[in-house]
Amino acid sequence: MSHSIIRDFLEAWLARAIGADRRAAVLFGRILNARRCVACARHYARIAATHGQFEHAEEALARAAGWAPRHAAVWQELARIRARMGWWPEAVSALEKQVRLQPLNADAWFELADAHIALGQYAYAIPALRKVHDLVPASPRPLYLIGICQHHCGNERGLRDAVEQVAERDLQRATQLLTQTGRSDWRIPGVSC
């Protein structure tokens, strides 16, 4: 690594630390133009996103993902930027790479389900939500969302099963699920609408 790149890197870190984001972005960008630097791409992307320049952030993170395809955090950051931009299919793609690298990361599975829901792909969200439930069994949230997805898929039996499972953990949320899906006439033990 050349001395000028090391100097730029240290100066960029210092600029970032004191809040001189514009200067830090210029320096991180200069480094990115000279060499592959995943850390620089991530810092540049954070600065760009903070200032609403999501296209620049996405471009930097996409480059970093190409340089380090086994770096799960890069895929997560890329997915979040893409989701923020409304690029849901691209976010799904990045999240699928992340969950392959981190199959025990409940947050990644939840974000994958969320991206599928944003696309209206409720049937694809259900397996990801089941994985979240397997990883965090005490939480009623994935079961609640499974119920919502089952409702949108037209699966009444799946919805009823989800309501019953949610009711075992959180009666208020089960009632909310019945109300939200228009099933206030259903009688589930312990749940009232």
Side-chain angles (χ1 to χ4, degrees), residues 126 130 133 140 142-151 154-170 173-174 177-178 181 183 186-189 191:
I126 293 170
R130 287 201 171 118
H133 175 64
L143 295 170
Y144 175 85
L145 290 172
I146 288 171
I148 296 294
C149 290
Q150 295 288 14
H151 168 69
N155 184 346
E156 295 294 311
R157 181 70 234 158
L159 172 57
R160 184 175 281 279
D161 290 344
V163 171
E164 290 172 357
Q165 290 179 29
V166 171
E168 292 173 8
R169 292 162 179 79
D170 185 341
R173 195 169 287 214
L177 180 56
L178 287 174
T181 58
R183 301 303 187 277
W186 284 5
R187 296 295 163 241
I188 306 292
V191 180

Side-chain angles (χ1 to χ4, degrees), residues 58-122:
E58 193 277 339
E59 182 182 334
L61 290 169
R63 288 172 64 187
W67 298 332
R70 300 210 37 86
H71 199 306
V74 171
W75 290 111
Q76 180 183 41
E77 292 168 13
L78 181 58
R80 287 178 177 170
I81 289 294
R82 288 175 171 175
R84 187 120 187 233
M85 295 172 69
W87 295 6
W88 293 107
E90 294 82 359
V92 165
S93 177
L95 288 162
E96 286 173 343
K97 289 176 176 74
Q98 183 189 1
V99 297
R100 266 189 248 120
L101 295 170
Q102 294 180 317
L104 301 179
N105 184 331
D107 291 336
W109 285 104
F110 190 82
E111 288 180 38
L112 178 58
D114 186 48
H116 281 299
I117 290 169
L119 286 167
Q121 299 173 336
Y122 300 103

Side-chain angles (χ1 to χ4, degrees), residues 45 50 79 84 134 150 192:
T50 298
R84 187 120 187 233
D134 290 345
Q150 295 288 14
S192 62

